Amino acid sequence: MKIGVMVESFKASSIDSIVASNDPMLTFKEGVKKAAKLGAEGIQAYATFGALKFDEMTSAKAKEILDFVKSQGLIFSAICGDFGHGFMSKDNNAKNVENSKRVLDVAKMLECDIVTTHIGAISEEESESKDTARAACRELALYADSIGSAFAVETGPETSKVLCAFLDSLGAMGVRVNMDPANLVMCVADDPVKGVEILKKYIVHTHAKDGVMLGSMPKPDGWEELPLGKGGVDWDNYLPTLAKIGYKGFLTIEREVGDNPEADIKLAKDFLTEKLAELGINK
């Protein structure tokens, strides 16, 4: 397993700081340098805004970005293609699906086969909105399959069991899973260790994040993101379970809160490095 960093996590205000920047390329490159300095092996970055914005990408710009990333000894672990609204709206899905396909194309230009996103909360029972999301995801799955890529759904809005059943219903393997253990703990009180076993055939990327649910199901009072090892993720069993299913991809650090994200990311990187060594993973 390799350790990556979400470039936007270096900013305290995350996405907002990039959108407000007068020079998104400079901001991106600074984040890449910070990731390299921390000893990361890869990065994830958004392609819905900023330096990698999908509808402003050219082959020349992609080459500049890729050359710079490689010059820092890094690769892209994944590209984030989350537009912030999922695929539950029939009226918006034609545009959303086409834009998502273009993000998959941009990822290919950056020598990356994984695009992550949120698709909306999938209900256990059948519904019109679930059918709407299924149609959009099936189209994306077929397109991703056709170009040898994966459109990876982030875990958390629903349990692993519900998500797995939904993915099984698509009839194609192009839509996979971006495993976020903290989201499962914080949002639906689901066990990430069991989640890995349930979703094992779909997992292509993971986020390294931790946190706790405030209150309890079925009516939680929100959640709190915490530094790795301080929340409800059972890393001592979660990481070995990933190893057991043969996962050899990235553990990409995502830090969405906190006053000093760079320090938090370093702590997370050190935590993962030490934990992988302690557990005898990667030997």
Side-chain angles (χ1 to χ4, degrees), residues 130-142:
K130 187 173 182 177
D131 280 341
T132 297
R134 182 180 286 118
C137 288
R138 182 177 288 122
E139 184 175 347
L140 285 168
L142 291 169

Side-chain angles (χ1 to χ4, degrees), residues 40-93:
E41 298 169 83
I43 55 165
Q44 182 179 8
Y46 276 79
T48 53
F49 58 83
L52 278 60
K53 194 167 186 296
F54 74 102
D55 56 355
E56 296 176 0
M57 186 62 70
T58 63
S59 57
K61 188 175 181 181
K63 184 179 186 305
E64 176 191 354
I65 290 168
L66 192 57
D67 286 349
F68 178 76
V69 170
K70 288 181 176 180
S71 76
Q72 299 299 307
L74 300 168
I75 62 173
F76 283 99
S77 71
I79 299 298
C80 186
D82 190 349
F83 290 92
H85 37 56
F87 296 96
M88 298 291 186
S89 169
K90 266 185 184 177
D91 293 338
N92 297 328
N93 273 0

Side-chain angles (χ1 to χ4, degrees), residues 151-272:
F151 197 72
V153 178
E154 187 161 329
T155 54
E158 61 287 306
T159 65
S160 299
K161 182 179 178 181
V162 170
L163 178 59
C164 187
F166 176 78
L167 296 179
D168 286 345
S169 75
L170 298 182
M173 287 296 290
V175 171
R176 302 289 189 96
V177 166
N178 174 41
M179 189 74 179
D180 190 315
N183 284 355
L184 289 173
V185 169
M186 296 188 299
C187 302
V188 288
D190 199 13
D191 180 359
V193 177
K194 293 180 180 177
V196 170
E197 292 282 6
I198 292 168
L199 292 164
K200 59 186 176 183
K201 67 181 176 182
Y202 292 113
I203 299 171
V204 292
H205 190 260
T206 77
H207 277 164
K209 196 168 71 180
D210 211 340
V212 293
M213 176 181 285
L214 301 178
S216 60
M217 295 293 284
K219 293 184 178 180
D221 297 321
W223 59 81
E224 182 180 3
E225 185 183 326
L226 296 167
L228 264 59
K230 304 295 184 183
V233 177
D234 180 3
W235 297 97
D236 288 336
N237 285 302
Y238 173 72
L239 292 172
T241 304
L242 281 174
K244 178 183 174 183
I245 67 166
Y247 180 73
K248 296 179 181 178
F250 274 89
L251 306 166
T252 298
I253 298 163
E254 182 184 31
R255 183 69 169 143
E256 297 181 299
V257 299
D259 296 328
N260 192 344
E262 190 166 352
D264 290 341
I265 292 167
K266 184 181 185 306
L267 285 172
K269 198 271 180 183
D270 292 344
F271 174 86
L272 289 173

Side-chain angles (χ1 to χ4, degrees), residues 4-155:
V5 177
M6 175 77 79
V7 171
E8 288 81 10
S9 289
F10 283 108
K11 288 291 184 178
S13 56
S14 190
I15 296 174
D16 292 340
S17 63
I18 304 292
V19 172
S21 172
N22 292 324
D23 192 343
M25 184 65 79
L26 178 61
T27 305
F28 169 76
K29 288 183 175 180
E30 286 178 349
V32 173
K33 288 178 181 177
K34 288 178 180 180
K37 185 178 178 181
L38 288 177
E41 298 169 83
I43 55 165
Q44 182 179 8
Y46 276 79
T48 53
F49 58 83
L52 278 60
K53 194 167 186 296
F54 74 102
D55 56 355
E56 296 176 0
M57 186 62 70
T58 63
S59 57
K61 188 175 181 181
K63 184 179 186 305
E64 176 191 354
I65 290 168
L66 192 57
D67 286 349
F68 178 76
V69 170
K70 288 181 176 180
S71 76
Q72 299 299 307
L74 300 168
I75 62 173
F76 283 99
S77 71
I79 299 298
C80 186
D82 190 349
F83 290 92
H85 37 56
F87 296 96
M88 298 291 186
S89 169
K90 266 185 184 177
D91 293 338
N92 297 328
N93 273 0
K95 179 180 179 181
N96 293 342
V97 168
E98 285 307 309
N99 286 345
S100 296
K101 289 179 182 179
R102 300 293 76 79
V103 175
L104 284 164
D105 295 338
V106 166
K108 277 291 189 184
M109 295 169 72
L110 298 170
E111 298 181 1
C112 181
D113 296 331
I114 300 170
V115 170
T116 68
T117 194
H118 292 82
I119 61 173
I122 302 299
S123 60
E124 186 169 3
E125 65 280 357
E126 292 299 317
S127 65
E128 183 177 352
S129 62
K130 187 173 182 177
D131 280 341
T132 297
R134 182 180 286 118
C137 288
R138 182 177 288 122
E139 184 175 347
L140 285 168
L142 291 169
Y143 185 76
D145 277 342
S146 74
I147 64 172
S149 290
F151 197 72
V153 178
E154 187 161 329
T155 54

